[in-house]
């Protein structure tokens, strides 16, 4: 989503910065305006109003610099983005310093919250020392640029070929050749090795910035953005993971078994029962949906071939584009027709996603969205393809940046990105400092809540899949499809920041970066590289959010929260059947509830916002388990008599009980 954060401290709009913190104090007796405590002529409330205005005024220039550096990667755009970011972070430090004068002074509750949020506005706390600040933003721009431009080359001279992330992901998505996948996986990871020095220095610099703000380290600062004590927040994530871990372990067991059937007992696992990292159909093992061919429970029971439908749409678009060019189109005309069709199908996919939001009563995207969005990968320059959503000016210039391909994963990612955009548009009514998610997990969960409502019935109603078979087998197939995206993700969503929290607090020193990374991958996800990955590599850098410095626990939270949101919206829509059957497509009441939550932004603690939507103040994995109950039952039966669980590096078993054991 908003990634602008990159550098942007402030930027980003929404969510970006997203560390929303601060607890709202108990409401004062009366909502009478607080007496103005005047500091040098300015009251606290006037101060907050001023920084809101200055923030908003400075915002478009920062987002423009960031947009250019992400959609036009070169030294110049990086320099400009780094400079813009440098100014923004320096300004932020000035505001935070000024805000200290108002501590303990009377001010409105909103101003108190705004000042607390101000301190947490960036995920890249910057040292005040101008040289260090400049060094920090330069490194940040360089790392993100390096990620976007990453390329894996083989061969020499005329035989030299280079592939970027998108092409390497295509291999993992589609090839079932063990060695081809290993090559693609290793190739991409080799591009990250040179980032290691930059990252280690980056950590030192942001830690200095965090210390100047009064935090023990950057990880503590990140964990302070949840309207609760940072330690309590960390404990919450443990609690949530414990709730859903048994479901993940069943899915892991089933998947490993199928991989061993496909690749052989030896190659289908890494010693200790771990899943080989290059065989999950995904570069980071975070979404296993591409393994559908191997993992589909009942062949053909309810066909959910979304990728097939999108490819068909592309072929149609291509046919139309070729037809326009007439008989005897040469190679160049054919190439242009292909580009035209790629753009056409990408826009059709986006219109499809927009239609869901509009069906809930939300507005159509503004015309400028369609003009300024990056839908497909440009041919003439490097860009950051990692999907993101941008609020450029807090007043309607919204855009997404993707390199859309006609496949299921990208289709659902568009729904995800539009969730950010509709959040941005909804909270544009708030003062700038409240233009953010209730917490960053909320921002990530909006579009995904819609994805949960993309039931087979919905997909059939929009002509994406054929009329749906009913019955137990179709249900299990539909649940498996969702689980490969949502359940497989859970431990991944947790481990990235387990690693960064350790890096920031110093318990993971640079000479153990890679070792600690793979220990955590093994412990939480039960995956391992097929070949040794020593400290010459920097595998964390191969995942966008590390060089992009986007906190990741938000996605773990989102993958729990979205089921709670979904359940509440289903109830609002009057659905009484099992949770997994519900869609609220076209339901105005669900839309009204959703929109009301979005419009609150970060204006109150997230617990209050959650309560308004769901009736509860707690994030809770119960809805995940309720949703997947049929699949979990089915998986247990499938895994009966098998030895499930894994050993993570000898001593650190995935769970106390996860040493290979027999379940069932
Ligand atoms: O980064 C994203 C979005 C943008 S906020 C495309 N996601 C995470 C990822 O790709 O790693 C969405 C799910 C997890
Ligand atoms: Zn997102």
């Amino acid at each position: 989503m908003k990634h602008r954060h990159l550098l942007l401290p402030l930027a980003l709009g929404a969510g970006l910065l997203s560390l929303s913190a601060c607890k709202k104090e108990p409401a004062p007796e009366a909502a009478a305006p607080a007496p103005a405590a005047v500091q040098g002529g300015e009251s606290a409330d006037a101060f907050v109003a001023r920084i809101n205005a200055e923030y908003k005024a400075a915002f478009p220039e920062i987002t423009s610099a960031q947009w250019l550096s992400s959609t036009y990667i070169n030294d110049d755009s990086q320099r400009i983005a780094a400079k813009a970011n440098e100014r923004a972070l320096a300004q932020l430090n000035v505001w935070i310093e000024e805000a200290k004068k108002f501590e303990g002074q009377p001010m409105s509750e909103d101003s108190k919250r705004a000042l607390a949020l101000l301190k947490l506005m960036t995920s890249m706390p910057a040292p005040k020392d101008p040289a260090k600040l400049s060094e920090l933003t330069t490194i940040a721009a360089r790392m993100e640029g390096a990620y976007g431009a990453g390329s894996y080359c083989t061969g020499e001279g005329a035989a030299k070929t280079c592939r970027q992330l998108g092409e390497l992901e295509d291999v993992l998505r589609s090839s079932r050749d063990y060695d081809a996948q290993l090559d693609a996986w290793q190739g991409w990871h080799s591009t990250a090795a040179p980032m290691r020095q930059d990252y280690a220095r980056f950590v030192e610099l942001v830690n200095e910035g965090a210390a100047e703000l009064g935090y023990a380290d950057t990880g503590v600062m990140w964990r302070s953005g949840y309207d609760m004590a940072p330690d309590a927040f960390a404990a919450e994530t443990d609690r949530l993971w414990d709730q859903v871990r048994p479901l993940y372990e069943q899915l892991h067991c089933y998947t490993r078994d199928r991989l061993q059937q496909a690749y052989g007992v030896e190659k289908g696992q890494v010693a200790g029962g771990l899943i080989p990292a290059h065989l999950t159909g995904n570069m980071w093992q975070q979404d296993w949906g591409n393994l559908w061919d191997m993992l589909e429970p009942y062949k053909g029971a309810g066909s959910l071939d979304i990728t097939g439908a999108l490819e068909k749409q592309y072929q149609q678009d291509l046919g139309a584009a070729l037809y326009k060019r007439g008989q005897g189109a040469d190679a160049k005309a054919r190439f242009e027709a292909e580009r035209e069709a790629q753009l056409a199908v990408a826009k059709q996919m986006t219109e499809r996603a927009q239609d869901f939001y509009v069906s809930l009563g939300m507005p159509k995207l503004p015309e400028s969205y369609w003009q300024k969005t990056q839908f497909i990968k440009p041919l003439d320059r490097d860009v950051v393809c990692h999907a993101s959503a941008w609020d450029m000016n807090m007043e309607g210039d919204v855009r997404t940046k993707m390199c859309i391909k006609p496949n299921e994963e990208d289709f659902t990612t568009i729904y995800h990105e539009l969730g950010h955009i509709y959040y941005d548009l909804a909270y544009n009514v708030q003062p700038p400092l409240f233009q953010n998610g209730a917490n960053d997990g909320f921002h990530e969960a909006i579009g995904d809540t819609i994805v949960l409502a993309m039931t087979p019935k919905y997909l059939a109603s929009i002509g994406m899949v054929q009329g749906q078979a009913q019955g137990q087998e179709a249900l299990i197939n539909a649940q498996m499809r969702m689980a490969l995206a949502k359940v497989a993700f859970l431990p991944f969503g947790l481990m990235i920041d387990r690693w960064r929290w350790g890096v920031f607090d110093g318990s993971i020193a640079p000479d153990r970066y890679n070792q600690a990374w793979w220990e955590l991958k093994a412990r939480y996800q039960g995956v391992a590289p097929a070949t040794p990955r020593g400290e010459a590599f920097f595998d964390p850098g191969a995942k966008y959010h590390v060089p992009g410095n986007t906190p990741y626990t938000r996605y773990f939270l989102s993958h729990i929260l979205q089921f709670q949101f979904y359940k509440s919206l289903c109830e609002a829509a009057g659905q009484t059947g099992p949770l997994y059957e519900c869609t609220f497509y076209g339901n105005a009441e669900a839309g009204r509830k959703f929109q009301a939550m979005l419009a609150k932004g970060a204006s109150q603690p997230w617990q209050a916002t959650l309560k308004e939507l769901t009736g509860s103040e707690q994030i809770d994995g119960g809805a995940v388990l309720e949703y997947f109950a049929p699949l979990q039952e089915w998986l247990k039966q499938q895994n009966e008599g098998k030895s499930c669980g894994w050993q993570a590096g000898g001593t650190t078993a995935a769970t106390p009980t996860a040493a290979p054991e027999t379940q069932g």
Side-chain angles (χ1 to χ4, degrees):
M1 81 163 246
K2 325 216 88 286
H3 291 175
R4 349 59 167 330
H5 16 328
L6 192 329
L7 315 175
L8 291 189
L10 333 179
L12 352 162
L16 291 230
L17 311 185
S18 40
L19 303 179
S20 21
C22 47
K23 250 198 191 103
K24 199 159 186 171
E25 313 286 33
E29 285 26 333
V38 178
Q39 295 285 340
E42 187 177 43
S43 71
D45 292 341
F47 171 70
V48 170
R50 175 166 66 81
I51 51 180
N52 267 321
E54 290 179 4
Y55 174 37
K56 185 169 175 183
F59 196 71
E61 187 183 330
I62 304 163
T63 49
S64 286
Q66 186 67 27
W67 174 267
L68 284 175
S69 80
S70 292
T71 59
Y72 247 103
I73 300 178
N74 60 41
D75 290 349
D76 300 305
S77 64
Q78 272 177 39
R79 174 150 53 225
I80 295 209
K83 275 290 162 200
N85 210 34
E86 190 181 318
R87 280 198 305 277
L89 287 169
Q91 176 63 259
L92 179 62
N93 279 337
V94 169
W95 286 332
I96 292 171
E97 194 58 41
E98 285 177 351
K100 286 185 186 159
K101 291 187 300 200
F102 298 100
E103 270 166 28
Q105 300 290 332
M107 65 181 95
S108 72
E109 289 303 306
D110 276 0
S111 291
K112 270 187 206 162
R113 181 167 179 82
L115 292 184
L117 290 174
L118 183 69
K119 248 184 106 172
L120 294 159
M121 184 170 257
T122 181
S123 45
M124 200 168 93
K128 291 207 175 91
D129 174 354
K132 286 180 175 168
L133 168 61
S134 168
E135 184 185 4
L136 174 61
T137 61
T138 302
I139 290 177
R142 187 163 64 221
M143 287 196 299
E144 187 167 32
Y147 185 91
S151 185
Y152 167 51
C153 301
T154 49
E156 300 280 322
K160 182 171 173 181
T161 55
C162 296
R163 286 175 294 170
Q164 294 198 301
L165 177 59
E167 295 150 285
L168 298 167
E169 286 184 286
D170 288 344
V171 175
L172 300 187
R173 181 180 307 113
S174 311
S175 170
R176 293 297 167 252
D177 181 291
Y178 184 95
D179 293 326
Q181 291 177 86
L182 186 58
D183 175 59
W185 186 89
Q186 290 179 335
W188 176 248
H189 283 74
S190 72
T191 68
M195 276 179 212
R196 168 184 281 268
Q197 298 302 327
D198 266 350
Y199 194 75
R201 179 65 182 149
F202 175 85
V203 169
E204 290 173 1
L205 291 167
V206 287
N207 270 345
E208 272 189 46
E212 288 174 18
L213 291 172
Y215 299 98
D217 64 72
T218 306
V220 175
M221 180 168 162
W222 285 10
R223 295 192 292 281
S224 298
Y226 297 93
D227 295 305
M228 59 171 72
D231 288 353
F233 175 70
E236 273 295 271
T237 61
D238 286 334
R239 177 181 69 79
L240 294 167
W241 171 232
D242 281 344
Q243 274 188 294
V244 294
R245 193 175 60 195
L247 176 58
Y248 179 76
E249 287 173 0
Q250 293 290 342
L251 185 65
H252 180 282
C253 192
Y254 169 78
T255 302
R256 187 183 62 204
D257 186 61
R258 291 282 173 116
L259 285 172
Q260 289 184 294
Q261 285 173 25
Y263 295 98
V265 177
E266 291 299 312
K267 284 188 154 179
Q269 71 159 348
V270 172
L274 300 153
I275 290 177
H278 65 291
L279 296 182
T280 63
N282 177 280
M283 195 61 82
W284 311 277
Q285 310 81 50
Q286 69 186 67
D287 180 333
W288 303 349
N290 290 327
L291 298 187
W292 186 247
D293 54 315
M294 266 175 221
L295 302 181
E296 182 177 10
Y298 298 104
K299 285 276 172 256
S303 145
L304 294 167
D305 187 10
I306 296 171
T307 298
L310 293 168
E311 276 167 357
K312 216 162 118 194
Q313 177 73 59
Y314 168 72
Q315 289 303 335
Q316 274 177 22
D317 292 339
L318 180 58
L322 285 169
Y323 182 78
K324 243 173 46 188
R325 285 166 174 78
Q327 298 274 317
D330 58 8
K332 178 159 173 281
R334 166 140 199 121
F335 182 77
E336 284 167 5
E338 283 169 5
R339 291 289 293 173
E340 185 178 316
Q342 285 159 16
L343 182 60
V345 73
K347 287 187 178 173
Q348 285 157 343
M349 290 161 74
T350 308
E351 281 162 2
R352 210 12 111 199
Q354 172 187 243
D355 169 70
F356 200 122
Y357 290 87
V358 170
S359 90
L360 298 176
M362 297 186 194
K364 282 194 148 195
L365 296 166
E367 183 52 29
S368 61
Y369 171 86
W370 300 97
Q371 298 306 324
K372 296 181 173 180
T373 280
Q374 177 193 298
F375 291 100
I376 59 175
K377 189 173 192 290
L379 294 171
D380 59 340
R381 58 189 193 262
D382 283 323
V383 301
V384 178
C385 276
H386 190 86
S388 56
W390 300 59
D391 179 355
M392 302 296 292
N393 63 356
M394 304 185 191
E395 44 191 45
D397 181 357
V398 287
R399 313 172 188 176
T400 51
K401 177 184 62 57
M402 289 185 65
C403 299
I404 298 175
K405 292 177 189 171
N407 62 50
E408 174 177 1
E409 207 179 327
D410 282 6
F411 188 52
T412 55
T413 298
I414 298 170
Y415 284 70
H416 173 95
E417 295 306 329
L418 291 194
H420 291 306
I421 294 292
Y422 278 102
Y423 212 166
D424 293 342
L425 292 172
Y427 59 51
N428 277 167
V429 299
Q430 295 284 348
L433 287 167
F434 292 160
Q435 292 201 26
N436 214 331
N439 69 38
D440 54 7
F442 279 59
H443 228 300
E444 296 305 334
I446 306 309
D448 283 21
T449 302
I450 307 271
V451 171
L452 290 175
M454 294 168 73
T455 55
K457 218 168 110 193
Y458 161 77
L459 292 166
S461 80
I462 62 168
M464 209 67 181
V465 301
Q466 300 306 306
Q468 279 309 292
Q470 303 293 311
Q472 186 65 11
E473 295 192 351
L475 167 63
I476 294 302
N477 270 8
Q479 289 241 304
M480 181 62 80
R481 167 180 162 267
M482 217 47 114
L484 294 177
K486 306 286 182 193
V487 178
F489 182 84
L490 289 161
F492 182 75
L494 209 54
M495 64 77 44
I496 299 240
D497 281 353
R498 291 289 191 268
W499 183 80
R500 275 191 296 204
W501 292 353
V503 166
F504 288 136
D505 76 16
S507 60
I508 299 172
D511 65 356
R512 279 204 322 122
Y513 275 172
N514 234 36
Q515 184 196 334
W517 176 261
W518 287 108
E519 280 170 10
L520 289 162
K521 297 279 287 180
R523 172 158 163 220
Y524 286 101
Q525 292 182 274
V527 305
T531 53
R533 306 291 300 174
E535 298 301 328
F537 298 105
F538 180 55
D539 293 327
K543 175 65 193 167
Y544 170 74
H545 302 68
V546 174
N549 193 43
T550 309
Y552 212 85
T553 308
R554 60 182 63 188
Y555 302 106
F556 174 74
L557 298 179
S558 153
H559 278 69
I560 308 268
L561 272 173
Q562 61 190 251
F563 287 87
Q564 291 178 269
F565 294 172
Y566 173 66
K567 184 173 156 83
S568 297
L569 295 178
C570 288
E571 283 164 8
Q575 303 262 338
T576 51
L579 189 53
Y580 49 78
E581 272 180 7
C582 147
T583 181
F584 46 81
Y585 177 69
N587 189 281
E589 184 51 25
R592 199 196 52 74
K593 265 200 119 167
F594 213 16
Q595 182 73 12
M597 173 174 101
L598 302 185
K600 285 275 162 104
S603 64
Q604 61 185 15
W606 64 263
Q607 291 89 340
T609 305
L610 185 63
K611 189 163 186 185
E612 286 166 13
L613 184 72
T614 68
S616 165
E617 295 195 346
Q618 270 225 326
I619 306 188
D620 185 74
V624 178
L625 300 177
E626 179 186 342
Y627 181 95
F628 285 115
L631 182 70
Q632 187 159 13
E633 211 31 61
W634 184 85
L635 285 170
K636 271 189 200 149
Q637 285 166 16
Q638 297 296 309
N639 293 334
E640 211 169 276
K642 285 185 200 136
S643 155
C644 289
W646 61 88
Q647 275 173 331
T651 49
T652 33
T655 73
T657 56
E661 63 178 6
T662 303
Q663 305 232 352

mmCIF file with all atom_site columns, all heavy atoms in Angstrom, residues 22-36:
data_model
loop_
_atom_site.group_PDB
_atom_site.id
_atom_site.type_symbol
_atom_site.label_atom_id
_atom_site.label_alt_id
_atom_site.label_comp_id
_atom_site.label_asym_id
_atom_site.label_entity_id
_atom_site.label_seq_id
_atom_site.pdbx_PDB_ins_code
_atom_site.Cartn_x
_atom_site.Cartn_y
_atom_site.Cartn_z
_atom_site.occupancy
_atom_site.B_iso_or_equiv
_atom_site.pdbx_formal_charge
_atom_site.auth_seq_id
_atom_site.auth_comp_id
_atom_site.auth_asym_id
_atom_site.auth_atom_id
_atom_site.pdbx_PDB_model_num
ATOM 1   N N   . CYS A 1 22 ? -0.879  5.930  20.466 1.00 0.00 ? 22 CYS A N   1
ATOM 2   C CA  . CYS A 1 22 ? -1.456  6.738  21.414 1.00 0.00 ? 22 CYS A CA  1
ATOM 3   C C   . CYS A 1 22 ? -2.772  6.382  21.868 1.00 0.00 ? 22 CYS A C   1
ATOM 4   O O   . CYS A 1 22 ? -3.657  6.096  21.148 1.00 0.00 ? 22 CYS A O   1
ATOM 5   C CB  . CYS A 1 22 ? -1.628  8.040  20.962 1.00 0.00 ? 22 CYS A CB  1
ATOM 6   S SG  . CYS A 1 22 ? -2.260  8.210  19.548 1.00 0.00 ? 22 CYS A SG  1
ATOM 7   N N   . LYS A 1 23 ? -2.905  6.477  23.134 1.00 0.00 ? 23 LYS A N   1
ATOM 8   C CA  . LYS A 1 23 ? -4.166  6.148  23.735 1.00 0.00 ? 23 LYS A CA  1
ATOM 9   C C   . LYS A 1 23 ? -4.928  7.388  23.970 1.00 0.00 ? 23 LYS A C   1
ATOM 10  O O   . LYS A 1 23 ? -4.390  8.360  24.436 1.00 0.00 ? 23 LYS A O   1
ATOM 11  C CB  . LYS A 1 23 ? -3.870  5.621  25.105 1.00 0.00 ? 23 LYS A CB  1
ATOM 12  C CG  . LYS A 1 23 ? -4.140  4.233  25.117 1.00 0.00 ? 23 LYS A CG  1
ATOM 13  C CD  . LYS A 1 23 ? -4.282  3.713  26.478 1.00 0.00 ? 23 LYS A CD  1
ATOM 14  C CE  . LYS A 1 23 ? -4.297  2.267  26.350 1.00 0.00 ? 23 LYS A CE  1
ATOM 15  N NZ  . LYS A 1 23 ? -3.324  1.552  26.620 1.00 0.00 ? 23 LYS A NZ  1
ATOM 16  N N   . LYS A 1 24 ? -6.158  7.291  23.712 1.00 0.00 ? 24 LYS A N   1
ATOM 17  C CA  . LYS A 1 24 ? -6.968  8.461  24.028 1.00 0.00 ? 24 LYS A CA  1
ATOM 18  C C   . LYS A 1 24 ? -7.193  8.445  25.527 1.00 0.00 ? 24 LYS A C   1
ATOM 19  O O   . LYS A 1 24 ? -7.489  7.421  26.116 1.00 0.00 ? 24 LYS A O   1
ATOM 20  C CB  . LYS A 1 24 ? -8.294  8.351  23.317 1.00 0.00 ? 24 LYS A CB  1
ATOM 21  C CG  . LYS A 1 24 ? -8.968  9.680  23.211 1.00 0.00 ? 24 LYS A CG  1
ATOM 22  C CD  . LYS A 1 24 ? -9.986  9.638  22.100 1.00 0.00 ? 24 LYS A CD  1
ATOM 23  C CE  . LYS A 1 24 ? -10.568 10.994 21.890 1.00 0.00 ? 24 LYS A CE  1
ATOM 24  N NZ  . LYS A 1 24 ? -11.380 11.049 20.702 1.00 0.00 ? 24 LYS A NZ  1
ATOM 25  N N   . GLU A 1 25 ? -7.011  9.574  26.146 1.00 0.00 ? 25 GLU A N   1
ATOM 26  C CA  . GLU A 1 25 ? -7.245  9.624  27.589 1.00 0.00 ? 25 GLU A CA  1
ATOM 27  C C   . GLU A 1 25 ? -8.741  9.547  27.826 1.00 0.00 ? 25 GLU A C   1
ATOM 28  O O   . GLU A 1 25 ? -9.517  9.862  26.950 1.00 0.00 ? 25 GLU A O   1
ATOM 29  C CB  . GLU A 1 25 ? -6.740  10.928 28.167 1.00 0.00 ? 25 GLU A CB  1
ATOM 30  C CG  . GLU A 1 25 ? -5.374  11.297 27.720 1.00 0.00 ? 25 GLU A CG  1
ATOM 31  C CD  . GLU A 1 25 ? -4.324  10.460 28.391 1.00 0.00 ? 25 GLU A CD  1
ATOM 32  O OE1 . GLU A 1 25 ? -4.573  9.275  28.697 1.00 0.00 ? 25 GLU A OE1 1
ATOM 33  O OE2 . GLU A 1 25 ? -3.244  10.968 28.605 1.00 0.00 ? 25 GLU A OE2 1
ATOM 34  N N   . PRO A 1 26 ? -9.112  9.200  29.040 1.00 0.00 ? 26 PRO A N   1
ATOM 35  C CA  . PRO A 1 26 ? -10.541 9.184  29.345 1.00 0.00 ? 26 PRO A CA  1
ATOM 36  C C   . PRO A 1 26 ? -11.158 10.525 28.975 1.00 0.00 ? 26 PRO A C   1
ATOM 37  O O   . PRO A 1 26 ? -10.528 11.565 29.159 1.00 0.00 ? 26 PRO A O   1
ATOM 38  C CB  . PRO A 1 26 ? -10.593 8.983  30.852 1.00 0.00 ? 26 PRO A CB  1
ATOM 39  C CG  . PRO A 1 26 ? -9.218  8.637  31.281 1.00 0.00 ? 26 PRO A CG  1
ATOM 40  C CD  . PRO A 1 26 ? -8.271  8.860  30.144 1.00 0.00 ? 26 PRO A CD  1
ATOM 41  N N   . ALA A 1 27 ? -12.348 10.463 28.482 1.00 0.00 ? 27 ALA A N   1
ATOM 42  C CA  . ALA A 1 27 ? -12.972 11.696 28.011 1.00 0.00 ? 27 ALA A CA  1
ATOM 43  C C   . ALA A 1 27 ? -13.106 12.689 29.150 1.00 0.00 ? 27 ALA A C   1
ATOM 44  O O   . ALA A 1 27 ? -13.404 12.331 30.270 1.00 0.00 ? 27 ALA A O   1
ATOM 45  C CB  . ALA A 1 27 ? -14.342 11.394 27.441 1.00 0.00 ? 27 ALA A CB  1
ATOM 46  N N   . PRO A 1 28 ? -12.835 13.927 28.860 1.00 0.00 ? 28 PRO A N   1
ATOM 47  C CA  . PRO A 1 28 ? -13.006 14.947 29.894 1.00 0.00 ? 28 PRO A CA  1
ATOM 48  C C   . PRO A 1 28 ? -14.486 15.091 30.193 1.00 0.00 ? 28 PRO A C   1
ATOM 49  O O   . PRO A 1 28 ? -15.316 14.728 29.381 1.00 0.00 ? 28 PRO A O   1
ATOM 50  C CB  . PRO A 1 28 ? -12.480 16.204 29.227 1.00 0.00 ? 28 PRO A CB  1
ATOM 51  C CG  . PRO A 1 28 ? -12.572 15.952 27.756 1.00 0.00 ? 28 PRO A CG  1
ATOM 52  C CD  . PRO A 1 28 ? -12.519 14.471 27.561 1.00 0.00 ? 28 PRO A CD  1
ATOM 53  N N   . GLU A 1 29 ? -14.755 15.645 31.346 1.00 0.00 ? 29 GLU A N   1
ATOM 54  C CA  . GLU A 1 29 ? -16.161 15.788 31.758 1.00 0.00 ? 29 GLU A CA  1
ATOM 55  C C   . GLU A 1 29 ? -17.030 16.329 30.652 1.00 0.00 ? 29 GLU A C   1
ATOM 56  O O   . GLU A 1 29 ? -18.041 15.829 30.306 1.00 0.00 ? 29 GLU A O   1
ATOM 57  C CB  . GLU A 1 29 ? -16.329 16.819 32.844 1.00 0.00 ? 29 GLU A CB  1
ATOM 58  C CG  . GLU A 1 29 ? -15.973 16.621 34.195 1.00 0.00 ? 29 GLU A CG  1
ATOM 59  C CD  . GLU A 1 29 ? -14.934 15.685 34.637 1.00 0.00 ? 29 GLU A CD  1
ATOM 60  O OE1 . GLU A 1 29 ? -14.595 14.675 34.022 1.00 0.00 ? 29 GLU A OE1 1
ATOM 61  O OE2 . GLU A 1 29 ? -14.491 15.989 35.707 1.00 0.00 ? 29 GLU A OE2 1
ATOM 62  N N   . ALA A 1 30 ? -16.628 17.470 30.171 1.00 0.00 ? 30 ALA A N   1
ATOM 63  C CA  . ALA A 1 30 ? -17.486 18.104 29.193 1.00 0.00 ? 30 ALA A CA  1
ATOM 64  C C   . ALA A 1 30 ? -16.668 18.327 27.956 1.00 0.00 ? 30 ALA A C   1
ATOM 65  O O   . ALA A 1 30 ? -15.458 18.407 28.008 1.00 0.00 ? 30 ALA A O   1
ATOM 66  C CB  . ALA A 1 30 ? -17.968 19.439 29.723 1.00 0.00 ? 30 ALA A CB  1
ATOM 67  N N   . ALA A 1 31 ? -17.326 18.418 26.878 1.00 0.00 ? 31 ALA A N   1
ATOM 68  C CA  . ALA A 1 31 ? -16.604 18.626 25.637 1.00 0.00 ? 31 ALA A CA  1
ATOM 69  C C   . ALA A 1 31 ? -16.341 20.103 25.391 1.00 0.00 ? 31 ALA A C   1
ATOM 70  O O   . ALA A 1 31 ? -16.157 20.528 24.272 1.00 0.00 ? 31 ALA A O   1
ATOM 71  C CB  . ALA A 1 31 ? -17.376 18.037 24.476 1.00 0.00 ? 31 ALA A CB  1
ATOM 72  N N   . ALA A 1 32 ? -16.352 20.856 26.470 1.00 0.00 ? 32 ALA A N   1
ATOM 73  C CA  . ALA A 1 32 ? -16.080 22.280 26.313 1.00 0.00 ? 32 ALA A CA  1
ATOM 74  C C   . ALA A 1 32 ? -14.685 22.454 25.758 1.00 0.00 ? 32 ALA A C   1
ATOM 75  O O   . ALA A 1 32 ? -13.784 21.681 26.057 1.00 0.00 ? 32 ALA A O   1
ATOM 76  C CB  . ALA A 1 32 ? -16.178 22.969 27.664 1.00 0.00 ? 32 ALA A CB  1
ATOM 77  N N   . PRO A 1 33 ? -14.480 23.434 24.934 1.00 0.00 ? 33 PRO A N   1
ATOM 78  C CA  . PRO A 1 33 ? -13.150 23.638 24.377 1.00 0.00 ? 33 PRO A CA  1
ATOM 79  C C   . PRO A 1 33 ? -12.141 23.836 25.499 1.00 0.00 ? 33 PRO A C   1
ATOM 80  O O   . PRO A 1 33 ? -12.429 24.524 26.478 1.00 0.00 ? 33 PRO A O   1
ATOM 81  C CB  . PRO A 1 33 ? -13.303 24.896 23.516 1.00 0.00 ? 33 PRO A CB  1
ATOM 82  C CG  . PRO A 1 33 ? -14.672 25.443 23.781 1.00 0.00 ? 33 PRO A CG  1
ATOM 83  C CD  . PRO A 1 33 ? -15.466 24.420 24.515 1.00 0.00 ? 33 PRO A CD  1
ATOM 84  N N   . ALA A 1 34 ? -11.016 23.190 25.366 1.00 0.00 ? 34 ALA A N   1
ATOM 85  C CA  . ALA A 1 34 ? -10.011 23.318 26.405 1.00 0.00 ? 34 ALA A CA  1
ATOM 86  C C   . ALA A 1 34 ? -9.512  24.744 26.442 1.00 0.00 ? 34 ALA A C   1
ATOM 87  O O   . ALA A 1 34 ? -9.406  25.391 25.406 1.00 0.00 ? 34 ALA A O   1
ATOM 88  C CB  . ALA A 1 34 ? -8.859  22.379 26.105 1.00 0.00 ? 34 ALA A CB  1
ATOM 89  N N   . PRO A 1 35 ? -9.191  25.223 27.625 1.00 0.00 ? 35 PRO A N   1
ATOM 90  C CA  . PRO A 1 35 ? -8.640  26.571 27.713 1.00 0.00 ? 35 PRO A CA  1
ATOM 91  C C   . PRO A 1 35 ? -7.344  26.610 26.916 1.00 0.00 ? 35 PRO A C   1
ATOM 92  O O   . PRO A 1 35 ? -6.550  25.684 26.970 1.00 0.00 ? 35 PRO A O   1
ATOM 93  C CB  . PRO A 1 35 ? -8.384  26.769 29.202 1.00 0.00 ? 35 PRO A CB  1
ATOM 94  C CG  . PRO A 1 35 ? -8.522  25.413 29.835 1.00 0.00 ? 35 PRO A CG  1
ATOM 95  C CD  . PRO A 1 35 ? -9.298  24.543 28.907 1.00 0.00 ? 35 PRO A CD  1
ATOM 96  N N   . ALA A 1 36 ? -7.178  27.616 26.194 1.00 0.00 ? 36 ALA A N   1
ATOM 97  C CA  . ALA A 1 36 ? -5.992  27.678 25.362 1.00 0.00 ? 36 ALA A CA  1
ATOM 98  C C   . ALA A 1 36 ? -4.761  27.948 26.219 1.00 0.00 ? 36 ALA A C   1
ATOM 99  O O   . ALA A 1 36 ? -4.688  28.946 26.908 1.00 0.00 ? 36 ALA A O   1
ATOM 100 C CB  . ALA A 1 36 ? -6.167  28.798 24.335 1.00 0.00 ? 36 ALA A CB  1
#
